[in-house]
Amino acid sequence: MTSNIISLPFRRTHSLALSAAIRQYISTKYDQHPDMFRRDLEVIDQLRADAINVREPHASGIKKLSAYAAQLVWIGGKFPIDIGADFTWYPALGYDTDAPTSQNNLRFELVNMLYNLAALYSQLALALNRNTTDGLKSACNYFCLSAGVISHLKREVIPDMRSTPPEDMDTVTLESLEQLMLAQAQECFWQKAVMDQLKDASIARLAAKISDYYSIAGDWAVKSEAISSEWIHHMTAKHHHFAAAAQYRAACDCLEKRKYGEEVARLRDSLTCVNEALKEARWINKNVLEDLQGLKNRVQEDLKRAEKDNDIIYLIPVPSKSELRTLDRANMATVKVPRDVLDPISTLGVDREFGQPLFAKLVPFAVHVAASIYAERRDRMVNTVIIDELEGLTATLHEILQSLNLPGALQALERPLGMPHSLVSHAEEIRQQDGLGRLYRSMDDIAKLKTDDRAIYNEGVELLHAEAAEDERARAKYGTDQWNRPASRAAAGTLYAQMDEIDGYLKSAENSDELVGGKLREYESAIGILAGTDRDLEDFVPKSRRVALSPTVEREAANLRGCLNEVSRLEARRGRTIEALREKARSDDINPVLLAEAARLEREYPMQKIEPAQFENLFSQRLEERYASDQSAIDTERHKQDDLISALRESNQTFLNARRGDTTTKEREQALQKLENAYFKYKEIVSNLEVGRRFYNDLARNVGRFREETAGWVYQRRMELRAMEADITTSLSTLALSSLPPPSTSQRTTRSHTSQQRTALLPPPEPPRRLPSHANSHAPLAQPQPTRVGPSPSVFNPPSTKPQLPPSPNPGMWTPDMPIVFGGGPGGQPQQGSGGLPPGTSNGGRTQGRGP
């Protein structure tokens, strides 16, 4: 320490590939491939390398440390704090700075970065030229920023570490360092005031506050295990030094105000304080010691002059120290937390100071599932609860119009010749959409989708049935005592439930398809006329003669036309409402909200796995906020329609009464009404087919997942079946062999070789694979042959079959086909069926020779 102020040293660390831990975590915990974030992984390593290599007091280091710290705060919401990287840091304070501390904790890394940022600010202040007012102002600002970072570290970051902080960053140490930085900031401002030759009273108040800061810093330092005694002596000396300086400046102010007795008292107290500070002379550096000696000499000279003048000239009583008024304090040093430390997230983004936040597109798998759940509920609410209700109201309105023979009756009267304008526009709309061609193509597409879904579903069903058959065969073969695993339906209850559920969906959808097909067949000819030429329309609609209308008929027709126009406006407004609602649902992106909620959950519950169920309250709240007003609007629409229908019925009845007995337009009415009905039925069929297409597309994902889950489960069951059969076979073989005498060495070798050959012939189990859309299901696996119970571990076959073994290479070698007979035959030759054993050969542990 070669200056009269102190800067904080940096904490040190080793290089670390943080990207490796992040990559591994993404691979295991997220539903996205780490290569999607290759650039982000490179950037995080580079940011760390730049930050840990800040070792000199240069302003460029501020951005390096702050940028990395900001990204650490950001990714703290993406990953748990124990991400799998062991961060090793060496202490900067204390008596053993070569003993590192390692923690698998992102917050521990952040704490060290912020500490080094505070150290950098203090070193920048020390490196400035404090012989100029501008240098002192900048130094004061840097010390205030350093104190601000330490304060933020102490109050916001370390409490959220969820682990024990290092010894040199405990509460008492950081409190001492914060007060020390504020003391030195105040000292810079005091020095500037001296250079600017402010009044002695003002300088005294500044010095008194410096003394307070150093006193508090020293008190906390004594309680710390990390702050060295050298620093404690420095703070103690500075505390007394500025207490003396404050009294000295106050004495100068007293001299100016002719308070000669108080001047002497304050100079005496100043000298006392200087002497207290000089008691630390053995442990403080020469710069501080020189400052104290200079102040002491000056105080002694002024005290000698003041006492002499007062004793000889002024004769003013000198008050005791207890009678002196306590000096006021002027505080110019405040804690300043840098913006990029206080709110680091605001510095990240497009065209912002520290660039884009890293891993912004990383979405936990639970968030993917939650987004799907929300989208399904949102679409169900929008399409089923709201849009289907509105379209149901419209369908009811069309049924009522059809029952009233409207608008055909009115169109036939208004235009006895030619085509009504509304009918012409309807026909043009159908032509532009290719009318029947569009319907046929949609029906064909839906049929293909249904066939594909059914085929994939059948593959999964056949896998389940095949596995169940294999399990039943094994249970029948080995018995329930040995074959004690759960039956297929019990073991895969969820899969069987899915199978039944999907089958119900498919049957229900087939019924719906039949209804839609029936509608198309019923109105096919009329839709074909609308999709044809104008001549086809004119040929279909008969002409009627123009008749003179009575004033009553004209009036009632005008009233009825007004009601029909109101119906048209209601339909148009409702159509716009439905389209706006669909657009609102399409633009309803819940992902940012889910990501924010997931980040909060990861911060607050780092050890708890995020599950979709944790977003239930969020779903309910968002659906309520966004779509409650649309739901309530349905009742309003219903009331409006009921009022309109009542008015329409009344106006139509009045119109019919006015035209009673007039049948001149009857045929034209019926033709026009039939075409009008066909148009609305066409729109209804188009809507039905679109719903069907969406249904089968959604179902394709479900049946595909059902098939894949089934294939995986069946594979595991077949592996389990193989293992159980092997265990049963081994136990039976062991039981049988334990009751027989041990075979000879040559026999064991031959049998082992034969068993290995036969075992090699067994087919290995197939691994699961992704099935093609129209592939046949797995054929049942070949039933393995258990090992025979007997002296040889050869393969056993049922009694009706006999294993075909290759001929023995040596006619004198025993084979499993030969019975075992002890003893030799006459003439020293082996008896028939003796297995080729020569006389005198050891067998069964006994020597067999000729008879006596």
Side-chain angles (χ1 to χ4, degrees), residues 143 147 177-187 213 333-335:
F143 278 127
L177 297 180
E178 179 184 346
Q179 297 299 320
L180 175 62
M181 295 299 106
L182 290 174
Q184 296 183 155
Q186 181 84 359
E187 184 175 348
Y213 276 134
T334 57
V335 170

Side-chain angles (χ1 to χ4, degrees), residues 702-757:
N702 293 333
V703 295
R705 185 164 54 248
F706 165 72
R707 182 185 63 180
E708 296 302 324
E709 291 176 357
T710 300
W713 180 79
V714 168
Y715 172 75
Q716 293 296 331
R717 288 277 286 187
R718 285 173 171 166
M719 294 291 291
E720 184 183 18
L721 181 144
R722 289 297 185 90
M724 289 182 67
E725 287 186 329
D727 291 343
I728 293 172
T729 301
T730 302
S731 63
L732 292 176
S733 300
T734 303
L735 179 62
L737 289 174
S738 64
S739 62
L740 295 175
S744 64
T745 305
S746 61
Q747 290 172 349
R748 285 199 300 268
T749 304
T750 303
R751 296 167 194 172
S752 175
H753 177 70
T754 304
S755 176
Q756 291 174 3
Q757 286 181 332

Side-chain angles (χ1 to χ4, degrees), residues 42 110 188 524 546:
E42 294 173 355
L110 176 62
C188 290
E524 184 176 8
R546 187 179 299 276

Side-chain angles (χ1 to χ4, degrees), residues 50-347:
D50 292 343
I52 66 175
N53 287 320
V54 174
R55 289 287 178 266
E56 300 295 333
H58 194 277
S60 62
I62 298 175
K63 183 175 182 180
K64 294 177 181 178
L65 291 167
S66 300
Y68 181 48
Q71 294 290 359
L72 285 175
V73 173
W74 167 257
I75 66 175
K78 290 285 185 180
F79 305 103
I81 58 176
D82 54 340
I83 194 172
D86 290 324
F87 300 100
T88 301
W89 285 88
Y90 291 85
L93 304 175
Y95 299 98
D96 189 6
T97 57
D98 292 327
T101 301
S102 294
Q103 290 190 23
N104 175 19
N105 191 330
L106 280 173
R107 301 292 171 81
F108 177 64
E109 176 86 342
L110 176 62
V111 162
N112 284 279
M113 283 300 137
L114 292 179
Y115 174 88
N116 276 0
L117 180 61
L120 177 61
Y121 279 127
S122 70
Q123 293 183 25
L124 287 171
L126 185 63
L128 290 171
N129 180 8
R130 285 175 286 111
N131 292 322
T132 64
T133 56
D134 290 339
L136 289 170
K137 286 174 60 178
S138 297
C140 176
N141 183 59
Y142 278 140
F143 278 127
C144 289
L145 290 171
S146 180
V149 174
I150 295 172
S151 175
H152 180 78
L153 188 62
K154 177 183 64 180
R155 291 173 172 81
E156 303 295 335
V157 184
I158 287 183
D160 204 26
M161 271 184 66
R162 300 183 181 90
S163 64
T164 303
E167 187 179 74
D168 59 342
M169 282 195 283
D170 59 4
T171 301
V172 294
T173 302
L174 292 180
E175 191 68 48
S176 175
L177 297 180
E178 179 184 346
Q179 297 299 320
L180 175 62
M181 295 299 106
L182 290 174
Q184 296 183 155
Q186 181 84 359
E187 184 175 348
C188 290
F189 198 91
W190 169 84
Q191 190 174 349
K192 180 178 180 298
V194 172
M195 294 179 65
D196 292 341
Q197 297 181 353
L198 297 184
K199 292 183 177 180
D200 290 320
S202 299
I203 296 175
R205 290 195 292 271
L206 292 171
K209 188 60 181 177
I210 298 173
S211 177
D212 292 345
Y213 276 134
Y214 276 118
S215 176
I216 298 172
D219 291 343
W220 284 109
V222 171
K223 301 175 184 179
S224 170
E225 298 291 334
I227 296 180
S228 65
S229 59
E230 180 185 6
W231 282 28
I232 295 174
H233 289 301
H234 173 86
M235 296 174 198
T236 304
K238 283 283 193 171
H239 159 58
H240 294 300
H241 178 182
F242 280 97
Q247 291 291 16
Y248 174 75
R249 288 290 179 170
C252 294
D253 183 63
C254 290
L255 176 62
E256 184 178 351
K257 295 177 179 178
R258 300 181 181 181
K259 298 178 180 179
Y260 304 112
E262 184 177 347
E263 176 195 11
V264 173
R266 292 194 179 278
L267 286 173
R268 288 174 180 173
D269 188 51
S270 176
L271 185 59
T272 301
C273 290
V274 170
N275 290 330
E276 284 293 323
L278 287 173
K279 292 179 181 179
E280 311 291 335
R282 292 175 53 190
W283 302 283
I284 58 179
N285 68 52
K286 64 176 183 179
N287 292 321
V288 178
L289 184 59
E290 288 175 359
D291 291 342
L292 285 171
Q293 291 289 1
L295 177 60
K296 180 178 181 180
N297 294 336
R298 190 168 181 180
V299 170
Q300 285 177 331
E301 292 175 2
D302 285 5
L303 177 59
K304 183 178 180 179
R305 186 256 322 145
E307 287 178 335
K308 180 179 179 180
D309 290 347
N310 190 52
D311 290 342
I312 297 175
I313 303 174
Y314 307 118
L315 304 176
I316 303 296
V318 177
S320 64
K321 181 177 180 179
S322 60
E323 295 176 325
L324 293 176
R325 183 178 61 85
T326 302
L327 296 177
D328 294 332
R329 267 65 172 166
N331 183 28
M332 302 305 295
T334 57
V335 170
K336 294 182 181 179
V337 184
R339 183 182 64 87
D340 49 10
V341 172
L342 185 63
D343 186 15
I345 304 301
S346 65
T347 63

Side-chain angles (χ1 to χ4, degrees), residues 410-428:
L410 189 59
Q411 290 174 343
L413 182 66
E414 291 176 337
R415 292 184 64 90
L417 301 174
M419 294 293 108
H421 176 72
S422 61
L423 185 61
V424 172
S425 64
H426 292 165
E428 183 61 29

Side-chain angles (χ1 to χ4, degrees), residues 305-539:
R305 186 256 322 145
E307 287 178 335
K308 180 179 179 180
D309 290 347
N310 190 52
D311 290 342
I312 297 175
I313 303 174
Y314 307 118
L315 304 176
I316 303 296
V318 177
S320 64
K321 181 177 180 179
S322 60
E323 295 176 325
L324 293 176
R325 183 178 61 85
T326 302
L327 296 177
D328 294 332
R329 267 65 172 166
N331 183 28
M332 302 305 295
T334 57
V335 170
K336 294 182 181 179
V337 184
R339 183 182 64 87
D340 49 10
V341 172
L342 185 63
D343 186 15
I345 304 301
S346 65
T347 63
L348 302 174
V350 180
D351 299 329
R352 293 190 180 178
E353 185 177 359
F354 298 145
Q356 288 277 28
L358 301 179
F359 309 102
K361 297 181 179 179
L362 182 63
V363 181
F365 179 72
V367 174
H368 282 291
V369 176
S372 300
I373 293 173
Y374 175 78
E376 180 182 352
R377 293 185 185 177
R378 177 201 64 207
D379 293 343
R380 187 188 309 130
M381 173 176 283
V382 170
N383 295 322
T384 304
V385 178
I386 303 177
I387 292 180
D388 284 358
E389 283 289 328
L390 294 175
E391 290 181 343
L393 291 175
T394 303
T396 301
L397 185 58
H398 289 161
E399 290 174 0
I400 292 174
L401 288 174
Q402 185 177 353
S403 67
L404 298 176
N405 202 27
L406 293 174
L410 189 59
Q411 290 174 343
L413 182 66
E414 291 176 337
R415 292 184 64 90
L417 301 174
M419 294 293 108
H421 176 72
S422 61
L423 185 61
V424 172
S425 64
H426 292 165
E428 183 61 29
E429 179 182 346
I430 293 178
R431 289 172 195 153
Q432 290 178 355
Q433 296 178 2
D434 193 21
L436 289 174
R438 175 185 180 182
L439 297 182
Y440 293 145
R441 286 193 299 272
S442 295
M443 295 282 284
D444 291 340
D445 292 342
I446 288 175
K448 292 177 182 177
L449 289 173
K450 178 170 63 176
T451 301
D452 291 344
D453 290 353
R454 174 63 77 174
I456 296 172
Y457 167 73
N458 287 339
E459 291 173 11
V461 171
E462 290 169 5
L463 282 172
L464 286 178
H465 289 167
E467 190 282 328
E470 295 169 8
D471 184 68
E472 287 303 317
R473 284 196 297 269
R475 184 171 282 103
K477 181 176 180 179
Y478 298 109
T480 55
D481 289 340
Q482 290 181 313
W483 201 260
N484 53 10
R485 70 173 181 172
S488 298
R489 185 171 284 273
T494 303
L495 289 176
Y496 277 90
Q498 288 182 20
M499 179 183 72
D500 296 337
E501 184 179 11
I502 294 173
D503 185 57
Y505 288 154
L506 288 170
K507 290 178 179 178
S508 176
E510 287 177 359
N511 294 333
S512 299
D513 294 343
E514 284 297 326
L515 291 175
V516 175
K519 293 179 187 177
L520 179 57
R521 287 189 295 272
E522 181 181 356
Y523 288 90
E524 184 176 8
S525 60
I527 294 173
I529 293 170
L530 287 172
T533 63
D534 291 341
R535 175 61 61 88
D536 295 334
L537 284 176
E538 293 173 357
D539 292 343

